[in-house]
Every structure is written in C-alpha cells, then in structure tokens.
Amino acid sequence: MNKIKSLYIHIPFCDHICIYCDFYKMISNEIEKEKYINYLIKELDIRKDYLNNIETIYIGGGTPTSIKPNILENLFIGLKKYINLDKVIEFTVECNPNDIDINYINLFKKYNVNRISLGIQSFNNEKLKFLNRNHNKDIAINAIKLLKENNINNI
C-alpha cells in the first residue's frame, strides 16, 4: 500500500466571501461546521492506513479559523489520533488576520502547528477595501505581532 507524505484538508467555510477567491467556499452555521469536522475525522479513520508517514499537513480553505477553536480542536484531536504530530515537519493552518487571538494561538501550539498562512493580500487599506477584505492594515500588523509575541514566527 502506498504511504502518503503530505495531507491537505480543505475547510470550505468563510465568515466573509472575498470577490477574487476561486476556491470552493460557503458561509455556514456552527452546526454544519461541526458536522463537517466530524465527517473529516471519519474520513481520517477510513484512511488511517495511509497516514503513517505524514510529514506535512496543510489545512486551508476557505478559512479554517472561521471554525471556533473548540470545534477546530476536534479536528486536531482526530489528526493526533492517526498521525504522530511530533514527526510532522511542517503543519500549516490558513488564518484570516481578523481571527488571530490567543485562543487560536494556544490551540496551534498545543498541536504543533508550526506555520501560519496568514491571508494578507496587501498592507494598503485602499487595495484591501477594493478586494473586499474584512481586515485592514492595522489588523494585519497586529495579527503578525501577536503571532510573533507567542513564538509563532513561520508566517
């Protein structure tokens, strides 16, 4: 049986739909988000024989941080059940700058997330407004600052 080394998990939820994004995404409620996470965990169980050699994990979307930390943690618990997270070289989660807070940071650190893909398309407020982004330059800078203050430097 082939063993895979990389795992991509798509989270199709967003709190705000950006006009330029071509990825599959939707705005949804917490019940649907939790159901989706539960189905992802079932899929991990079904495919557990393929997960022994995982070296990289990328959770993207959509916006994974549109899922509340306690529900997102259920996914991380599922990952930890089937993957030795201590052996994962790079574990990335996409985040919206608006969402970065100590709750997400603590969650990421608890499960060895060592790279944050932060959705900052520009530090120019006019361009951000044109792109219909729901953050501004200050929010983006503060997100980076908070991550770095908490020893997450691979951004």
Side-chain angles (χ1 to χ4, degrees):
M1 179 179 310
N2 265 341
K3 303 289 184 179
I4 59 171
K5 292 187 177 190
S6 298
L7 177 65
Y8 172 75
I9 297 175
H10 186 76
I11 304 294
F13 307 115
C14 293
D15 293 327
H16 172 82
I17 303 296
C18 300
I19 59 172
Y20 58 85
C21 181
D22 287 334
F23 291 101
Y24 179 78
K25 71 273 182 195
M26 68 179 90
I27 294 175
S28 190
N29 62 49
E30 294 306 312
I31 294 168
E32 293 300 317
K33 292 175 183 180
E34 190 167 11
K35 283 169 73 173
Y36 184 81
I37 294 299
N38 291 335
Y39 282 117
L40 284 176
I41 294 166
K42 287 179 184 179
E43 184 76 15
L44 288 169
D45 184 58
I46 291 167
R47 309 249 182 241
K48 63 186 170 219
D49 293 338
Y50 292 94
L51 303 175
N52 298 326
N53 295 324
I54 296 294
E55 294 177 358
T56 64
I57 300 171
Y58 191 100
I59 302 177
T63 310
T65 53
S66 72
I67 297 176
K68 291 186 185 317
N70 63 313
I71 296 172
L72 193 56
E73 184 169 21
N74 292 336
L75 175 59
F76 291 165
I77 291 167
L79 287 168
K80 187 175 182 178
K81 181 177 179 181
Y82 301 108
I83 298 168
N84 182 347
L85 297 180
D86 293 329
K87 291 187 177 182
V88 171
I89 297 166
E90 187 171 87
F91 187 170
T92 302
V93 177
E94 285 185 7
C95 302
N96 190 345
N98 292 20
D99 299 329
I100 297 297
D101 66 21
I102 198 65
N103 296 314
Y104 283 108
I105 289 171
N106 288 337
L107 178 66
F108 298 152
K109 291 171 83 171
K110 181 177 179 180
Y111 292 94
N112 298 340
V113 173
N114 58 14
R115 181 173 175 265
I116 299 299
S117 178
L118 200 54
I120 300 171
Q121 283 64 37
S122 177
F123 288 100
N124 179 305
N125 284 333
E126 288 184 28
K127 289 181 181 179
L128 289 168
K129 189 175 180 179
F130 174 78
L131 292 171
N132 198 29
R133 291 294 289 155
N134 60 354
H135 73 273
N136 59 35
K137 174 185 173 181
D138 292 335
I139 290 171
I141 289 170
N142 287 333
I144 293 168
K145 184 177 175 184
L146 188 58
L147 287 165
K148 288 185 175 192
E149 286 171 352
N150 286 278
N151 298 314
I152 298 178
N153 296 303
N154 191 1
I155 303 168

mmCIF file of all heavy atoms in Angstrom, residues 14-48:
data_model
loop_
_atom_site.group_PDB
_atom_site.id
_atom_site.type_symbol
_atom_site.label_atom_id
_atom_site.label_comp_id
_atom_site.label_asym_id
_atom_site.label_seq_id
_atom_site.Cartn_x
_atom_site.Cartn_y
_atom_site.Cartn_z
ATOM 1 N N CYS A 14 -16.149 30.235 5.269
ATOM 2 C CA CYS A 14 -15.640 31.592 5.428
ATOM 3 C C CYS A 14 -16.696 32.401 6.155
ATOM 4 O O CYS A 14 -17.889 32.116 6.044
ATOM 5 C CB CYS A 14 -15.355 32.240 4.074
ATOM 6 S SG CYS A 14 -14.010 31.487 3.165
ATOM 7 N N ASP A 15 -16.238 33.402 6.882
ATOM 8 C CA ASP A 15 -17.176 34.332 7.509
ATOM 9 C C ASP A 15 -17.565 35.439 6.545
ATOM 10 O O ASP A 15 -18.550 36.139 6.761
ATOM 11 C CB ASP A 15 -16.547 34.945 8.765
ATOM 12 C CG ASP A 15 -16.329 33.915 9.851
ATOM 13 O OD1 ASP A 15 -17.135 32.966 9.947
ATOM 14 O OD2 ASP A 15 -15.347 34.044 10.604
ATOM 15 N N HIS A 16 -16.766 35.583 5.498
ATOM 16 C CA HIS A 16 -16.929 36.661 4.530
ATOM 17 C C HIS A 16 -16.382 36.139 3.193
ATOM 18 O O HIS A 16 -15.292 35.580 3.159
ATOM 19 C CB HIS A 16 -16.131 37.870 5.014
ATOM 20 C CG HIS A 16 -16.052 38.990 4.046
ATOM 21 N ND1 HIS A 16 -17.061 39.916 3.911
ATOM 22 C CD2 HIS A 16 -15.088 39.342 3.177
ATOM 23 C CE1 HIS A 16 -16.711 40.782 2.983
ATOM 24 N NE2 HIS A 16 -15.527 40.463 2.529
ATOM 25 N N ILE A 17 -17.121 36.296 2.128
ATOM 26 C CA ILE A 17 -16.679 35.806 0.819
ATOM 27 C C ILE A 17 -15.950 36.925 0.085
ATOM 28 O O ILE A 17 -16.514 37.984 -0.174
ATOM 29 C CB ILE A 17 -17.876 35.300 -0.021
ATOM 30 C CG1 ILE A 17 -18.649 34.214 0.724
ATOM 31 C CG2 ILE A 17 -17.398 34.824 -1.384
ATOM 32 C CD1 ILE A 17 -17.887 32.943 1.009
ATOM 33 N N CYS A 18 -14.687 36.677 -0.228
ATOM 34 C CA CYS A 18 -13.872 37.653 -0.963
ATOM 35 C C CYS A 18 -14.158 37.522 -2.459
ATOM 36 O O CYS A 18 -14.294 36.410 -2.976
ATOM 37 C CB CYS A 18 -12.392 37.429 -0.668
ATOM 38 S SG CYS A 18 -11.989 37.615 1.076
ATOM 39 N N ILE A 19 -14.187 38.636 -3.143
ATOM 40 C CA ILE A 19 -14.606 38.657 -4.546
ATOM 41 C C ILE A 19 -13.633 37.947 -5.489
ATOM 42 O O ILE A 19 -14.019 37.503 -6.550
ATOM 43 C CB ILE A 19 -14.849 40.101 -5.034
ATOM 44 C CG1 ILE A 19 -13.580 40.938 -4.884
ATOM 45 C CG2 ILE A 19 -16.003 40.728 -4.300
ATOM 46 C CD1 ILE A 19 -13.674 42.318 -5.503
ATOM 47 N N TYR A 20 -12.381 37.821 -5.113
ATOM 48 C CA TYR A 20 -11.360 37.280 -6.007
ATOM 49 C C TYR A 20 -11.126 35.782 -5.812
ATOM 50 O O TYR A 20 -10.426 35.148 -6.595
ATOM 51 C CB TYR A 20 -10.028 38.013 -5.782
ATOM 52 C CG TYR A 20 -9.555 37.905 -4.351
ATOM 53 C CD1 TYR A 20 -8.825 36.804 -3.932
ATOM 54 C CD2 TYR A 20 -9.881 38.877 -3.429
ATOM 55 C CE1 TYR A 20 -8.436 36.692 -2.619
ATOM 56 C CE2 TYR A 20 -9.489 38.774 -2.117
ATOM 57 C CZ TYR A 20 -8.766 37.671 -1.717
ATOM 58 O OH TYR A 20 -8.383 37.558 -0.420
ATOM 59 N N CYS A 21 -11.682 35.183 -4.792
ATOM 60 C CA CYS A 21 -11.362 33.804 -4.421
ATOM 61 C C CYS A 21 -12.088 32.811 -5.309
ATOM 62 O O CYS A 21 -13.315 32.851 -5.439
ATOM 63 C CB CYS A 21 -11.717 33.566 -2.953
ATOM 64 S SG CYS A 21 -11.324 31.898 -2.405
ATOM 65 N N ASP A 22 -11.327 31.880 -5.890
ATOM 66 C CA ASP A 22 -11.894 30.854 -6.761
ATOM 67 C C ASP A 22 -12.078 29.512 -6.059
ATOM 68 O O ASP A 22 -12.539 28.557 -6.675
ATOM 69 C CB ASP A 22 -11.007 30.655 -7.991
ATOM 70 C CG ASP A 22 -11.106 31.808 -8.963
ATOM 71 O OD1 ASP A 22 -12.141 32.493 -8.972
ATOM 72 O OD2 ASP A 22 -10.140 32.032 -9.706
ATOM 73 N N PHE A 23 -11.665 29.422 -4.799
ATOM 74 C CA PHE A 23 -11.780 28.157 -4.085
ATOM 75 C C PHE A 23 -13.221 27.906 -3.672
ATOM 76 O O PHE A 23 -14.003 28.842 -3.475
ATOM 77 C CB PHE A 23 -10.879 28.150 -2.842
ATOM 78 C CG PHE A 23 -9.432 28.129 -3.188
ATOM 79 C CD1 PHE A 23 -8.676 29.289 -3.137
ATOM 80 C CD2 PHE A 23 -8.817 26.953 -3.586
ATOM 81 C CE1 PHE A 23 -7.344 29.279 -3.468
ATOM 82 C CE2 PHE A 23 -7.487 26.934 -3.923
ATOM 83 C CZ PHE A 23 -6.741 28.097 -3.859
ATOM 84 N N TYR A 24 -13.559 26.632 -3.519
ATOM 85 C CA TYR A 24 -14.896 26.291 -3.049
ATOM 86 C C TYR A 24 -15.029 26.761 -1.608
ATOM 87 O O TYR A 24 -14.220 26.431 -0.753
ATOM 88 C CB TYR A 24 -15.146 24.779 -3.125
ATOM 89 C CG TYR A 24 -16.512 24.430 -2.621
ATOM 90 C CD1 TYR A 24 -17.636 24.633 -3.420
ATOM 91 C CD2 TYR A 24 -16.700 23.951 -1.330
ATOM 92 C CE1 TYR A 24 -18.900 24.349 -2.947
ATOM 93 C CE2 TYR A 24 -17.966 23.670 -0.855
ATOM 94 C CZ TYR A 24 -19.062 23.868 -1.668
ATOM 95 O OH TYR A 24 -20.314 23.603 -1.204
ATOM 96 N N LYS A 25 -16.067 27.567 -1.346
ATOM 97 C CA LYS A 25 -16.285 28.094 -0.012
ATOM 98 C C LYS A 25 -17.746 28.466 0.159
ATOM 99 O O LYS A 25 -18.484 28.607 -0.814
ATOM 100 C CB LYS A 25 -15.389 29.310 0.287
ATOM 101 C CG LYS A 25 -15.776 30.585 -0.464
ATOM 102 C CD LYS A 25 -15.131 30.642 -1.780
ATOM 103 C CE LYS A 25 -15.438 31.912 -2.558
ATOM 104 N NZ LYS A 25 -15.091 31.754 -3.936
ATOM 105 N N MET A 26 -18.142 28.587 1.440
ATOM 106 C CA MET A 26 -19.517 28.966 1.752
ATOM 107 C C MET A 26 -19.549 29.584 3.145
ATOM 108 O O MET A 26 -18.647 29.366 3.948
ATOM 109 C CB MET A 26 -20.429 27.752 1.700
ATOM 110 C CG MET A 26 -20.153 26.754 2.818
ATOM 111 S SD MET A 26 -21.231 25.323 2.801
ATOM 112 C CE MET A 26 -20.265 24.240 1.769
ATOM 113 N N ILE A 27 -20.582 30.327 3.391
ATOM 114 C CA ILE A 27 -20.868 30.807 4.734
ATOM 115 C C ILE A 27 -21.831 29.801 5.347
ATOM 116 O O ILE A 27 -22.796 29.389 4.696
ATOM 117 C CB ILE A 27 -21.457 32.231 4.691
ATOM 118 C CG1 ILE A 27 -20.399 33.201 4.160
ATOM 119 C CG2 ILE A 27 -21.948 32.649 6.068
ATOM 120 C CD1 ILE A 27 -20.884 34.618 3.958
ATOM 121 N N SER A 28 -21.546 29.384 6.570
ATOM 122 C CA SER A 28 -22.353 28.345 7.181
ATOM 123 C C SER A 28 -22.497 28.600 8.666
ATOM 124 O O SER A 28 -21.851 29.478 9.231
ATOM 125 C CB SER A 28 -21.703 26.978 6.934
ATOM 126 O OG SER A 28 -22.578 25.946 7.322
ATOM 127 N N ASN A 29 -23.317 27.797 9.309
ATOM 128 C CA ASN A 29 -23.529 27.937 10.748
ATOM 129 C C ASN A 29 -22.640 26.945 11.508
ATOM 130 O O ASN A 29 -22.035 26.051 10.924
ATOM 131 C CB ASN A 29 -25.008 27.765 11.103
ATOM 132 C CG ASN A 29 -25.523 26.382 10.733
ATOM 133 O OD1 ASN A 29 -24.918 25.360 11.052
ATOM 134 N ND2 ASN A 29 -26.666 26.343 10.057
ATOM 135 N N GLU A 30 -22.602 27.100 12.816
ATOM 136 C CA GLU A 30 -21.718 26.269 13.651
ATOM 137 C C GLU A 30 -22.104 24.797 13.614
ATOM 138 O O GLU A 30 -21.235 23.931 13.671
ATOM 139 C CB GLU A 30 -21.706 26.790 15.093
ATOM 140 C CG GLU A 30 -21.080 28.161 15.236
ATOM 141 C CD GLU A 30 -19.684 28.271 14.647
ATOM 142 O OE1 GLU A 30 -18.838 27.393 14.912
ATOM 143 O OE2 GLU A 30 -19.422 29.234 13.909
ATOM 144 N N ILE A 31 -23.379 24.502 13.504
ATOM 145 C CA ILE A 31 -23.818 23.101 13.456
ATOM 146 C C ILE A 31 -23.248 22.415 12.218
ATOM 147 O O ILE A 31 -22.721 21.301 12.293
ATOM 148 C CB ILE A 31 -25.362 23.014 13.498
ATOM 149 C CG1 ILE A 31 -25.871 23.501 14.855
ATOM 150 C CG2 ILE A 31 -25.845 21.597 13.211
ATOM 151 C CD1 ILE A 31 -27.369 23.737 14.919
ATOM 152 N N GLU A 32 -23.353 23.064 11.067
ATOM 153 C CA GLU A 32 -22.828 22.488 9.826
ATOM 154 C C GLU A 32 -21.305 22.363 9.875
ATOM 155 O O GLU A 32 -20.743 21.379 9.392
ATOM 156 C CB GLU A 32 -23.260 23.320 8.616
ATOM 157 C CG GLU A 32 -24.751 23.276 8.354
ATOM 158 C CD GLU A 32 -25.269 21.870 8.085
ATOM 159 O OE1 GLU A 32 -24.618 21.118 7.333
ATOM 160 O OE2 GLU A 32 -26.331 21.520 8.637
ATOM 161 N N LYS A 33 -20.649 23.344 10.455
ATOM 162 C CA LYS A 33 -19.187 23.289 10.582
ATOM 163 C C LYS A 33 -18.769 22.105 11.446
ATOM 164 O O LYS A 33 -17.834 21.376 11.111
ATOM 165 C CB LYS A 33 -18.647 24.595 11.157
ATOM 166 C CG LYS A 33 -18.793 25.774 10.220
ATOM 167 C CD LYS A 33 -18.365 27.068 10.890
ATOM 168 C CE LYS A 33 -18.575 28.255 9.977
ATOM 169 N NZ LYS A 33 -18.167 29.522 10.598
ATOM 170 N N GLU A 34 -19.470 21.909 12.544
ATOM 171 C CA GLU A 34 -19.143 20.789 13.426
ATOM 172 C C GLU A 34 -19.403 19.449 12.739
ATOM 173 O O GLU A 34 -18.610 18.511 12.869
ATOM 174 C CB GLU A 34 -19.946 20.899 14.726
ATOM 175 C CG GLU A 34 -19.490 19.914 15.778
ATOM 176 C CD GLU A 34 -20.055 20.215 17.154
ATOM 177 O OE1 GLU A 34 -20.972 21.056 17.282
ATOM 178 O OE2 GLU A 34 -19.564 19.594 18.111
ATOM 179 N N LYS A 35 -20.496 19.350 11.993
ATOM 180 C CA LYS A 35 -20.781 18.122 11.236
ATOM 181 C C LYS A 35 -19.667 17.847 10.222
ATOM 182 O O LYS A 35 -19.228 16.703 10.060
ATOM 183 C CB LYS A 35 -22.135 18.241 10.521
ATOM 184 C CG LYS A 35 -23.331 18.060 11.439
ATOM 185 C CD LYS A 35 -24.645 18.435 10.784
ATOM 186 C CE LYS A 35 -25.131 17.461 9.762
ATOM 187 N NZ LYS A 35 -26.499 17.808 9.273
ATOM 188 N N TYR A 36 -19.209 18.897 9.552
ATOM 189 C CA TYR A 36 -18.139 18.745 8.570
ATOM 190 C C TYR A 36 -16.869 18.209 9.237
ATOM 191 O O TYR A 36 -16.238 17.288 8.731
ATOM 192 C CB TYR A 36 -17.875 20.088 7.886
ATOM 193 C CG TYR A 36 -16.855 20.019 6.780
ATOM 194 C CD1 TYR A 36 -17.210 19.568 5.513
ATOM 195 C CD2 TYR A 36 -15.535 20.402 7.000
ATOM 196 C CE1 TYR A 36 -16.277 19.496 4.490
ATOM 197 C CE2 TYR A 36 -14.602 20.340 5.984
ATOM 198 C CZ TYR A 36 -14.978 19.888 4.741
ATOM 199 O OH TYR A 36 -14.043 19.816 3.731
ATOM 200 N N ILE A 37 -16.515 18.781 10.371
ATOM 201 C CA ILE A 37 -15.326 18.322 11.094
ATOM 202 C C ILE A 37 -15.490 16.861 11.491
ATOM 203 O O ILE A 37 -14.555 16.049 11.354
ATOM 204 C CB ILE A 37 -15.047 19.210 12.333
ATOM 205 C CG1 ILE A 37 -14.670 20.626 11.904
ATOM 206 C CG2 ILE A 37 -13.972 18.595 13.235
ATOM 207 C CD1 ILE A 37 -13.427 20.756 11.056
ATOM 208 N N ASN A 38 -16.662 16.484 11.959
ATOM 209 C CA ASN A 38 -16.899 15.083 12.330
ATOM 210 C C ASN A 38 -16.744 14.144 11.139
ATOM 211 O O ASN A 38 -16.197 13.049 11.273
ATOM 212 C CB ASN A 38 -18.275 14.931 12.978
ATOM 213 C CG ASN A 38 -18.348 15.585 14.340
ATOM 214 O OD1 ASN A 38 -17.334 15.755 15.018
ATOM 215 N ND2 ASN A 38 -19.543 15.963 14.752
ATOM 216 N N TYR A 39 -17.195 14.580 9.965
ATOM 217 C CA TYR A 39 -17.024 13.760 8.772
ATOM 218 C C TYR A 39 -15.555 13.682 8.354
ATOM 219 O O TYR A 39 -15.090 12.640 7.887
ATOM 220 C CB TYR A 39 -17.893 14.275 7.616
ATOM 221 C CG TYR A 39 -19.339 13.873 7.745
ATOM 222 C CD1 TYR A 39 -20.335 14.822 7.886
ATOM 223 C CD2 TYR A 39 -19.717 12.531 7.741
ATOM 224 C CE1 TYR A 39 -21.666 14.463 8.026
ATOM 225 C CE2 TYR A 39 -21.040 12.148 7.873
ATOM 226 C CZ TYR A 39 -22.010 13.116 8.023
ATOM 227 O OH TYR A 39 -23.323 12.740 8.161
ATOM 228 N N LEU A 40 -14.824 14.764 8.524
ATOM 229 C CA LEU A 40 -13.387 14.705 8.236
ATOM 230 C C LEU A 40 -12.695 13.688 9.135
ATOM 231 O O LEU A 40 -11.830 12.931 8.677
ATOM 232 C CB LEU A 40 -12.740 16.083 8.436
ATOM 233 C CG LEU A 40 -12.977 17.134 7.370
ATOM 234 C CD1 LEU A 40 -12.352 18.460 7.795
ATOM 235 C CD2 LEU A 40 -12.406 16.694 6.027
ATOM 236 N N ILE A 41 -13.071 13.660 10.396
ATOM 237 C CA ILE A 41 -12.476 12.702 11.326
ATOM 238 C C ILE A 41 -12.827 11.276 10.918
ATOM 239 O O ILE A 41 -11.973 10.380 10.963
ATOM 240 C CB ILE A 41 -12.915 13.025 12.771
ATOM 241 C CG1 ILE A 41 -12.337 14.382 13.192
ATOM 242 C CG2 ILE A 41 -12.465 11.919 13.729
ATOM 243 C CD1 ILE A 41 -12.963 14.962 14.442
ATOM 244 N N LYS A 42 -14.054 11.049 10.480
ATOM 245 C CA LYS A 42 -14.437 9.717 9.983
ATOM 246 C C LYS A 42 -13.593 9.336 8.758
ATOM 247 O O LYS A 42 -13.175 8.188 8.612
ATOM 248 C CB LYS A 42 -15.928 9.682 9.626
ATOM 249 C CG LYS A 42 -16.822 9.674 10.830
ATOM 250 C CD LYS A 42 -18.286 9.664 10.422
ATOM 251 C CE LYS A 42 -19.168 9.756 11.649
ATOM 252 N NZ LYS A 42 -20.590 9.763 11.320
ATOM 253 N N GLU A 43 -13.354 10.310 7.884
ATOM 254 C CA GLU A 43 -12.513 10.063 6.699
ATOM 255 C C GLU A 43 -11.091 9.706 7.117
ATOM 256 O O GLU A 43 -10.467 8.818 6.525
ATOM 257 C CB GLU A 43 -12.527 11.289 5.789
ATOM 258 C CG GLU A 43 -11.762 11.119 4.496
ATOM 259 C CD GLU A 43 -12.475 10.288 3.446
ATOM 260 O OE1 GLU A 43 -13.692 10.049 3.583
ATOM 261 O OE2 GLU A 43 -11.810 9.881 2.484
ATOM 262 N N LEU A 44 -10.554 10.400 8.124
ATOM 263 C CA LEU A 44 -9.220 10.057 8.628
ATOM 264 C C LEU A 44 -9.195 8.613 9.120
ATOM 265 O O LEU A 44 -8.235 7.877 8.862
ATOM 266 C CB LEU A 44 -8.810 11.006 9.762
ATOM 267 C CG LEU A 44 -8.472 12.429 9.372
ATOM 268 C CD1 LEU A 44 -8.352 13.307 10.619
ATOM 269 C CD2 LEU A 44 -7.198 12.500 8.550
ATOM 270 N N ASP A 45 -10.235 8.206 9.815
ATOM 271 C CA ASP A 45 -10.306 6.837 10.311
ATOM 272 C C ASP A 45 -10.326 5.832 9.159
ATOM 273 O O ASP A 45 -9.622 4.822 9.186
ATOM 274 C CB ASP A 45 -11.537 6.665 11.203
ATOM 275 C CG ASP A 45 -11.595 5.277 11.813
ATOM 276 O OD1 ASP A 45 -10.633 4.893 12.517
ATOM 277 O OD2 ASP A 45 -12.598 4.574 11.582
ATOM 278 N N ILE A 46 -11.102 6.130 8.144
ATOM 279 C CA ILE A 46 -11.191 5.239 6.980
ATOM 280 C C ILE A 46 -9.829 5.117 6.287
ATOM 281 O O ILE A 46 -9.454 4.056 5.808
ATOM 282 C CB ILE A 46 -12.258 5.750 5.987
ATOM 283 C CG1 ILE A 46 -13.663 5.593 6.594
ATOM 284 C CG2 ILE A 46 -12.159 5.047 4.642
ATOM 285 C CD1 ILE A 46 -14.750 6.343 5.832
ATOM 286 N N ARG A 47 -9.082 6.197 6.247
ATOM 287 C CA ARG A 47 -7.803 6.244 5.517
ATOM 288 C C ARG A 47 -6.582 6.114 6.437
ATOM 289 O O ARG A 47 -5.465 6.389 6.024
ATOM 290 C CB ARG A 47 -7.713 7.556 4.749
ATOM 291 C CG ARG A 47 -8.937 7.832 3.911
ATOM 292 C CD ARG A 47 -8.671 7.752 2.462
ATOM 293 N NE ARG A 47 -9.877 8.067 1.720
ATOM 294 C CZ ARG A 47 -10.460 7.230 0.896
ATOM 295 N NH1 ARG A 47 -9.947 6.053 0.693
ATOM 296 N NH2 ARG A 47 -11.547 7.574 0.247
ATOM 297 N N LYS A 48 -6.783 5.680 7.666
ATOM 298 C CA LYS A 48 -5.702 5.669 8.657
ATOM 299 C C LYS A 48 -4.474 4.889 8.198
ATOM 300 O O LYS A 48 -3.352 5.236 8.553
ATOM 301 C CB LYS A 48 -6.201 5.162 9.996
ATOM 302 C CG LYS A 48 -6.678 3.741 9.989
ATOM 303 C CD LYS A 48 -7.288 3.377 11.326
ATOM 304 C CE LYS A 48 -7.979 2.040 11.192
ATOM 305 N NZ LYS A 48 -9.216 1.990 11.923
#
